């Protein structure tokens, strides 16, 4: 088993490195995929962008057994089933890992534009509950939800193999 990850701002990388340190499994960035044998079992970690787990499509021909999606939501959004269907990973085990983000003003390019639009939409909602207020604050102020304990289900799954 190997760990492969795709991370844009470093939060998913933190989980990949943590998982490698805890298990002794080798870790590869997606850029290094050519070094990975296609038969080798893989646990993949990718950051989520509008529900899509980034980088996953590059591994379609590889032997991916487990997929971890990292996002800023408290849980996989809108729900785990929808994420599994959207990413076509019904045949794999899926784990959601809460990641993090930098404040909107520090972002650049398309990501900044997309999140600015999303923020505007969230702010215009009249029915703001605590979860929505949190989502607004996360985008504006940044957030780091990376915790070792979040890897517990992944480690438990690895132990059963
Ligand atoms: C354009 C954009 C879209 C995003 N869409 C989602 C999403 O649909 N669900 C979610 O939970 N997080 C979403 N996020 C948050 C990132 O997935 C999260 O910050 C992730 O942990 C970043 O990982 P990285 O630091 O490894 O790149 C989005 C972030 C950006 C910039």
């Amino acid at each position: 088993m190997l760990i492969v990850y795709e991370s844009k701002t470093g939060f998913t990388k933190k989980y990949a490195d943590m998982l490698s340190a805890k298990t002794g499994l080798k870790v590869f960035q997606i850029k290094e995929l050519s070094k990975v044998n296609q038969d080798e079992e893989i646990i993949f970690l990718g950051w989520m962008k509008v529900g899509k787990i980034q980088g996953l499509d590059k591994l379609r021909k590889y032997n991916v057994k487990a997929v971890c999606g990292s996002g800023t939501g408290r849980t996989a959004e809108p729900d785990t089933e929808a994420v599994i269907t959207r990413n076509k990973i019904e045949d794999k085990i899926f784990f959601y890992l809460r990641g993090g983000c930098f404040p909107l003003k520090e972002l650049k390019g398309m990501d900044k534009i997309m999140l600015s639009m999303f923020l505007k939409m969230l702010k215009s909602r009249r029915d703001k509950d605590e979860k929505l207020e949190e989502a607004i604050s996360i985008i504006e102020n940044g957030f780091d939800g990376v915790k070792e304990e979040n890897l517990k289900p992944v480690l438990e799954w690895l132990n059963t193999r």
Side-chain angles (χ1 to χ4, degrees), residues 42-44 53 56-57 59-68 80-81 84-85 87-95 157 161:
I42 292 172
I43 173 159
F44 177 72
I53 301 164
L56 190 56
D57 285 341
L59 280 95
R60 293 288 174 199
K61 289 191 180 134
Y62 286 78
N63 190 11
V64 179
K65 293 290 178 200
V67 174
C68 304
T80 302
E81 281 311 305
I84 289 172
T85 310
N87 291 280
K88 301 187 181 74
I89 49 170
E90 290 90 344
D91 58 337
K92 307 181 202 317
I93 182 153
F94 171 71
F95 299 98
W157 172 74
R161 297 180 59 82

Side-chain angles (χ1 to χ4, degrees), residues 97-115:
L97 298 171
R98 198 172 198 193
C101 61
F102 290 99
L104 184 63
K105 61 178 186 304
E106 291 178 25
L107 302 183
K108 292 191 183 85
M110 263 318 278
D111 286 352
K112 184 171 192 169
I113 295 168
M114 281 170 84
L115 276 191

